[in-house]
Tab-separated table of all heavy atoms in Angstrom:
chain	number	residue	atom	x	y	z
Q	191	THR	N	36.878	155.450	175.401
Q	191	THR	CA	36.436	154.213	176.101
Q	191	THR	C	36.996	154.058	177.514
Q	191	THR	O	36.579	153.226	178.197
Q	191	THR	CB	36.807	153.063	175.274
Q	191	THR	OG1	38.257	153.034	175.168
Q	191	THR	CG2	36.258	153.172	173.844
Q	276	THR	N	9.955	156.324	144.014
Q	276	THR	CA	9.713	155.065	144.798
Q	276	THR	C	9.782	153.821	143.928
Q	276	THR	O	10.316	152.843	144.338
Q	276	THR	CB	8.283	155.091	145.369
Q	276	THR	OG1	8.138	156.292	146.157
Q	276	THR	CG2	7.996	153.922	146.313
Q	296	LEU	N	24.747	145.677	161.071
Q	296	LEU	CA	26.060	145.918	161.598
Q	296	LEU	C	26.030	147.102	162.642
Q	296	LEU	O	26.690	147.091	163.732
Q	296	LEU	CB	27.187	146.199	160.522
Q	296	LEU	CG	27.487	145.035	159.646
Q	296	LEU	CD1	28.456	145.484	158.554
Q	296	LEU	CD2	28.074	143.839	160.474
Q	305	ALA	N	27.035	149.603	174.187
Q	305	ALA	CA	26.228	150.002	175.395
Q	305	ALA	C	26.109	148.885	176.366
Q	305	ALA	O	25.469	149.093	177.439
Q	305	ALA	CB	24.834	150.339	174.913
Q	306	ARG	N	26.743	147.681	176.131
Q	306	ARG	CA	26.599	146.603	177.133
Q	306	ARG	C	27.278	146.975	178.430
Q	306	ARG	O	26.940	146.221	179.390
Q	306	ARG	CB	27.197	145.317	176.440
Q	306	ARG	CG	26.344	144.722	175.342
Q	306	ARG	CD	26.805	143.429	174.883
Q	306	ARG	NE	26.945	142.404	175.932
Q	306	ARG	CZ	27.424	141.172	175.773
Q	306	ARG	NH1	27.998	140.890	174.617
Q	306	ARG	NH2	27.436	140.362	176.675
Q	321	ILE	N	23.319	155.955	169.226
Q	321	ILE	CA	24.467	155.525	168.325
Q	321	ILE	C	23.908	154.984	166.935
Q	321	ILE	O	24.403	155.302	165.867
Q	321	ILE	CB	25.234	154.462	169.052
Q	321	ILE	CG1	26.027	155.075	170.235
Q	321	ILE	CG2	26.319	153.825	168.081
Q	321	ILE	CD1	26.770	154.081	171.110
Q	328	PHE	N	24.169	158.666	158.937
Q	328	PHE	CA	25.362	159.073	158.197
Q	328	PHE	C	25.637	157.980	157.052
Q	328	PHE	O	25.771	158.365	155.842
Q	328	PHE	CB	26.545	159.160	159.065
Q	328	PHE	CG	27.823	159.339	158.404
Q	328	PHE	CD1	28.225	160.640	157.867
Q	328	PHE	CD2	28.703	158.263	158.221
Q	328	PHE	CE1	29.453	160.822	157.236
Q	328	PHE	CE2	29.958	158.487	157.560
Q	328	PHE	CZ	30.298	159.682	157.026
Q	330	LEU	N	23.713	155.511	155.650
Q	330	LEU	CA	22.671	155.324	154.714
Q	330	LEU	C	22.586	156.451	153.791
Q	330	LEU	O	22.345	156.255	152.577
Q	330	LEU	CB	21.355	155.002	155.415
Q	330	LEU	CG	21.284	153.673	156.196
Q	330	LEU	CD1	19.912	153.520	156.848
Q	330	LEU	CD2	21.457	152.437	155.175
Q	336	PHE	N	19.124	157.721	145.938
Q	336	PHE	CA	17.952	157.729	145.125
Q	336	PHE	C	17.395	159.131	145.078
Q	336	PHE	O	16.326	159.481	145.656
Q	336	PHE	CB	16.833	156.783	145.702
Q	336	PHE	CG	17.200	155.305	145.619
Q	336	PHE	CD1	17.606	154.707	146.817
Q	336	PHE	CD2	17.326	154.655	144.447
Q	336	PHE	CE1	17.950	153.357	146.781
Q	336	PHE	CE2	17.706	153.321	144.386
Q	336	PHE	CZ	18.022	152.629	145.550
Q	348	ILE	N	13.101	166.332	133.425
Q	348	ILE	CA	12.625	166.754	134.843
Q	348	ILE	C	12.319	168.214	134.900
Q	348	ILE	O	11.300	168.599	135.543
Q	348	ILE	CB	13.644	166.337	135.838
Q	348	ILE	CG1	13.763	164.765	135.942
Q	348	ILE	CG2	13.384	166.854	137.204
Q	348	ILE	CD1	14.920	164.297	136.762
Q	363	LEU	N	13.296	163.828	147.002
Q	363	LEU	CA	14.058	163.377	148.178
Q	363	LEU	C	13.140	162.419	149.075
Q	363	LEU	O	13.676	161.690	149.921
Q	363	LEU	CB	14.588	164.509	148.948
Q	363	LEU	CG	15.475	165.457	148.230
Q	363	LEU	CD1	16.133	166.446	149.172
Q	363	LEU	CD2	16.652	164.712	147.548
Q	372	ALA	N	12.712	154.449	157.747
Q	372	ALA	CA	12.167	153.030	158.026
Q	372	ALA	C	13.192	152.093	158.443
Q	372	ALA	O	13.031	151.333	159.454
Q	372	ALA	CB	11.375	152.491	156.817
Q	408	ALA	N	19.359	166.839	151.603
Q	408	ALA	CA	19.146	168.130	150.942
Q	408	ALA	C	20.421	168.868	150.689
Q	408	ALA	O	20.653	169.442	149.613
Q	408	ALA	CB	18.248	169.058	151.703
Q	454	ALA	N	21.583	171.936	173.476
Q	454	ALA	CA	22.266	171.688	174.744
Q	454	ALA	C	22.207	172.892	175.643
Q	454	ALA	O	22.153	172.771	176.930
Q	454	ALA	CB	23.681	171.369	174.459
Q	479	GLY	N	16.017	172.393	169.620
Q	479	GLY	CA	16.818	171.697	168.648
Q	479	GLY	C	16.057	171.202	167.480
Q	479	GLY	O	16.398	171.383	166.358
Side-chain angles (χ1 to χ4, degrees):
T191 65
T276 306
L296 292 175
R306 288 185 64 185
I321 294 173
F328 172 78
L330 291 176
F336 296 107
I348 292 174
L363 301 188

